Amino acid sequence: MSGLSLICDYGESDGSEENENDDLETFKSVGFRTKLPAPDLSKVSVIKTEEHIDNPDQHGGKIRSFSHVRGNWATFVFIKYPDLESLNIITENFANQIESIGLECKKCDDFHISLSKTFVLKYHLIAPLTESLQEVFNTCDSFELGFHSIAIYCNEEETRTFVALKADIYSSRGLLMITQKIDNILVEYKLPQFYDDPSFHMSILYVNGNKKNELTKILERLNGVFVKYEKNIGSVIINKIECKSGNKYFQYYLQ
């Protein structure tokens, strides 16, 4: 039965051909619309939207700053510390001091200095942004990185407290110039810039939760350990900057 015939059936009263023709003429003249029955969707398959559930227990208590959304790529620019071997002894001594006051600490997954905040980047913007970074870093010179003290930091979510090596004043000047160049690019994409008064540092140990007060109480002891092993750390030449966007890594070599 055609759709038109179905509409006409709803208007039948006695089944006569004459009435059927009259109903058809009425439909044509006034544009009468008959409500059709609702379709049966019980057998139509439904594809559920994939939902990502973050489990902090799978990554040492770390909590995302923003929800995981397909198509959004968490991105940040950083310097990866090149001399990990020199940090092993001092890191173990820091851990002993922290555990002596009843706190459990863990070594950071990697040793790096952030040059940007972590920001969300759409996939189609990854290529143009990273190419812009390449152009900027091509004009930057390699520089010497050193540290001068220990500092305690707590993340904005207050889920982790970090023990970090703080960059010395000369290194901080070079790092500041680089972050300003990065910020100039991020502004073009309407992305968040770095902190107004950045404190450049490299986190090496962390404690879950906000334990800044407890760790600040032993800060003098931690700095004593730093002074003892400062010569072992020394300074290193930084000739490479990296960018991580989701599971993609980009490396940029300085002059």
Side-chain angles (χ1 to χ4, degrees):
M1 181 183 294
S2 69
L4 181 58
S5 299
L6 181 63
I7 294 174
C8 292
D9 284 347
Y10 274 91
E12 287 181 359
S13 57
D14 58 4
S16 68
E17 182 178 353
E18 181 179 353
N19 288 339
E20 183 178 15
N21 292 334
D22 290 342
D23 291 339
L24 180 59
E25 291 301 320
T26 301
F27 173 80
K28 291 180 178 179
S29 62
V30 302
F32 176 76
R33 295 183 179 180
T34 302
K35 184 178 181 180
L36 297 176
D40 182 10
L41 302 178
S42 60
K43 297 183 179 180
V44 177
S45 60
V46 178
I47 301 176
K48 295 182 179 180
T49 302
E50 182 180 348
E51 181 181 2
H52 180 88
I53 301 177
D54 191 41
N55 184 0
D57 293 335
Q58 295 180 351
H59 32 77
K62 186 177 181 181
I63 298 178
R64 291 179 180 272
S65 300
F66 37 80
S67 301
H68 172 83
V69 179
R70 182 180 292 277
N72 288 351
W73 294 61
T75 307
F76 78 111
V77 186
F78 61 98
I79 291 173
K80 191 170 184 178
Y81 193 70
D83 187 10
L84 302 182
E85 186 176 351
S86 65
L87 296 177
N88 289 335
I89 296 178
I90 193 171
T91 301
E92 291 177 3
N93 279 271
F94 285 146
N96 292 336
Q97 295 292 332
I98 295 170
E99 291 171 355
S100 70
I101 60 172
L103 294 178
E104 181 183 358
C105 66
K106 296 181 181 179
K107 184 184 294 186
C108 291
D109 297 333
D110 61 274
F111 297 142
H112 70 270
I113 297 178
S114 296
L115 300 178
S116 76
K117 293 182 179 179
T118 299
F119 52 88
V120 175
L121 196 62
K122 295 293 184 181
Y123 180 79
H124 68 279
L125 295 177
I126 296 177
L129 186 138
T130 53
E131 289 173 1
S132 296
L133 291 175
Q134 178 69 74
E135 293 177 3
V136 166
F137 296 143
N138 280 341
T139 64
C140 294
D141 295 326
S142 302
F143 63 95
E144 195 170 329
L145 173 65
F147 305 99
H148 74 85
S149 64
I150 300 300
I152 308 298
Y153 299 91
C154 188
N155 63 1
E156 295 179 1
E157 297 81 15
E158 296 190 350
T159 57
R160 280 184 170 188
T161 308
F162 298 89
V163 175
L165 298 176
K166 193 171 182 180
D168 61 37
I169 187 171
Y170 301 104
S171 302
S172 295
R173 289 174 182 172
L175 293 169
L176 181 60
M177 287 191 292
I178 293 175
T179 56
Q180 289 173 342
K181 293 178 183 292
I182 297 171
D183 281 346
N184 290 337
I185 295 175
L186 297 181
V187 167
E188 296 178 6
Y189 292 87
K190 298 181 179 180
L191 294 170
Q193 301 176 60
F194 207 42
Y195 303 98
D196 293 334
D197 186 21
S199 176
F200 296 103
H201 62 277
M202 182 174 69
S203 298
I204 56 177
L205 293 167
Y206 72 90
V207 178
N208 285 331
N210 185 346
K211 303 297 181 182
K212 191 171 183 178
N213 289 336
E214 291 89 329
L215 291 173
T216 300
K217 291 178 181 179
I218 64 168
L219 183 57
E220 186 176 347
R221 287 159 54 183
L222 295 175
N223 272 308
V225 174
F226 172 77
V227 171
K228 182 178 179 180
Y229 293 99
E230 183 177 6
K231 292 182 180 180
N232 296 65
I233 301 176
S235 59
V236 295
I237 300 297
I238 300 299
N239 59 4
K240 182 173 61 176
I241 294 177
E242 303 188 31
C243 175
K244 181 178 183 293
S245 186
N247 60 357
K248 297 180 180 293
Y249 287 85
F250 303 88
Q251 294 183 344
Y252 309 96
Y253 288 89
L254 306 179
Q255 299 296 319

